[in-house]
């Protein structure tokens, strides 16, 4: 079973619209979450991290984490053409409990409706 | 800062041949990670080094894959007797430390095994 699951698989919104991406972990050891974005032909690039319950805002992006349910979401407002990309949720374990590697979900393909 | 540099960008090998992929991490970063990306499996962790020492190779197919980090400025991933199922984009990433640090990815090496 995939330890980090993302939904939806793909998402399209009009330019200027709002988008919501979801991520759930099935492993209680995963307590630290990241969102990465990958444009075609490039490596993934970190967007933001969230380690505490609640919201974290960075520009047009807001992440929300609920540690009790191990659910994290990413909200994109005022979507721009440059936002069209593959978005990954990634999780790592609490330091000291295991490897510090990041485990990635399979991604959400986000695109703008012209 | 040039970022993480991976060479070559594309590599084509015949079935049964050897492939060596190179990675130059960002100067000053102490951790180096290798991931493999395919459409079906997504981003899969392979192995990582901290201060040149191998820390976790739990994602490496043991028989034909090996990784080394002979000095702080480069790491190699070697695949012996390549098979068509090894075709993927191999991504290298580095981070300042290993705990809850953002990963900086290279553009990847696209390996095609014919």
């Amino acid at each position: 079973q995939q330890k980090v699951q993302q939904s939806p698989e793909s998402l399209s919104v009009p330019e200027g619209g709002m988008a919501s991406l979801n991520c759930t972990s099935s492993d209680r050891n995963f307590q630290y979450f990241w969102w990465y974005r990958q444009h075609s032909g490039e490596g993934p690039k970190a967007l933001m991290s969230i380690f505490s319950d609640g919201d974290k805002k960075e520009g047009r992006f807001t992440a929300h984490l609920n540690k009790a349910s191990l659910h994290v979401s990413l909200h994109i407002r005022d979507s721009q053409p440059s936002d069209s990309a593959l978005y990954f949720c990634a999780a790592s374990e609490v330091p000291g409990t295991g490897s510090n590697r990041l485990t990635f979900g399979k991604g959400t393909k986000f695109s703008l409706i012209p | 800062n040039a970022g993480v540099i991976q060479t070559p960008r594309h590599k084509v090998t015949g079935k049964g041949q050897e492939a060596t992929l190179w990675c130059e991490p960002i100067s000053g970063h102490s951790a180096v990670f290798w991931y493999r990306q395919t459409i079906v499996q997504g981003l899969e962790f392979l192995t990582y080094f901290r201060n040149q020492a191998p820390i976790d190779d739990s994602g490496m197919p043991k028989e034909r894959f090996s990784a080394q980090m002979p000095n702080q400025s480069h790491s190699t991933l070697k695949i012996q007797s390549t098979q068509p199922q090894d075709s993927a984009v191999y991504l290298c990433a580095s981070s300042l430390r290993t705990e809850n640090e953002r990963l900086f990815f290279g553009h990847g090496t696209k390996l095609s095994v014919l």
Side-chain angles (χ1 to χ4, degrees):
Chain A
Q1 181 192 7
Q2 191 88 5
K3 286 192 173 183
V4 178
Q5 295 177 307
Q6 291 186 242
S7 64
E9 286 188 15
S10 63
L11 178 63
S12 296
V13 301
E15 185 171 343
M18 165 86 82
S20 295
L21 288 68
N22 296 295
C23 172
T24 303
S25 170
S26 60
D27 189 332
R28 287 241 151 246
N29 284 326
F30 286 166
Q31 293 281 310
Y32 298 89
F33 294 87
W34 288 85
W35 284 99
Y36 280 74
R37 180 168 77 176
Q38 184 179 31
H39 287 106
S40 181
E42 299 180 3
K45 189 173 292 185
L47 269 177
M48 60 192 301
S49 63
I50 185 163
F51 300 158
S52 303
D53 276 323
D55 292 335
K56 182 178 181 181
K57 184 179 178 183
E58 290 191 9
R60 296 183 294 107
F61 299 90
T62 300
H64 176 82
L65 173 60
N66 181 325
K67 281 197 173 185
S69 60
L70 291 180
H71 180 263
V72 60
S73 57
L74 179 69
H75 305 279
I76 308 171
R77 66 172 177 82
D78 189 23
S79 299
Q80 301 297 308
S82 59
D83 295 332
S84 293
L86 192 54
Y87 287 74
F88 291 103
C89 172
S92 63
E93 296 178 6
V94 175
T97 61
S99 170
N100 294 121
R101 68 178 182 272
L102 273 182
T103 298
F104 286 81
K106 289 200 171 183
T108 293
K109 185 176 181 181
F110 176 71
S111 55
L112 287 193
I113 301 170
Chain B
N1 196 324
V4 175
I5 299 172
Q6 289 189 250
T7 54
R9 288 293 298 269
H10 303 275
K11 186 168 183 67
V12 180
T13 65
K15 183 179 174 181
Q17 292 183 329
E18 182 177 286
T20 300
L21 313 180
W22 297 74
C23 171
E24 181 181 329
I26 293 172
S27 177
H29 282 193
S30 66
V32 173
F33 299 77
W34 284 96
Y35 283 82
R36 175 169 66 180
Q37 184 174 23
T38 60
I39 299 290
V40 174
Q41 298 294 334
L43 272 164
E44 297 177 282
F45 168 80
L46 293 175
T47 185
Y48 88 89
F49 298 84
R50 181 171 61 221
N51 295 323
Q52 298 172 234
I55 301 299
D56 180 355
D57 67 353
S58 59
M60 292 276 275
K62 291 291 187 282
E63 290 183 352
R64 297 182 294 105
F65 284 59
S66 62
Q68 295 187 341
M69 192 160 184
N71 57 59
Q72 63 185 11
S73 64
H74 90 272
S75 174
T76 58
L77 180 68
K78 184 180 291 186
I79 308 171
Q80 295 178 313
S81 184
T82 55
Q83 303 297 310
Q85 61 264 30
D86 298 331
S87 296
V89 175
Y90 289 83
L91 290 157
C92 176
S94 69
S95 67
L96 200 54
R97 293 176 292 274
T98 53
E99 293 186 358
N100 303 323
E101 288 281 337
R102 87 177 40 215
L103 299 187
F104 292 84
F105 283 87
H107 281 77
T109 294
K110 184 175 181 179
L111 176 66
S112 299
V113 182
L114 304 179

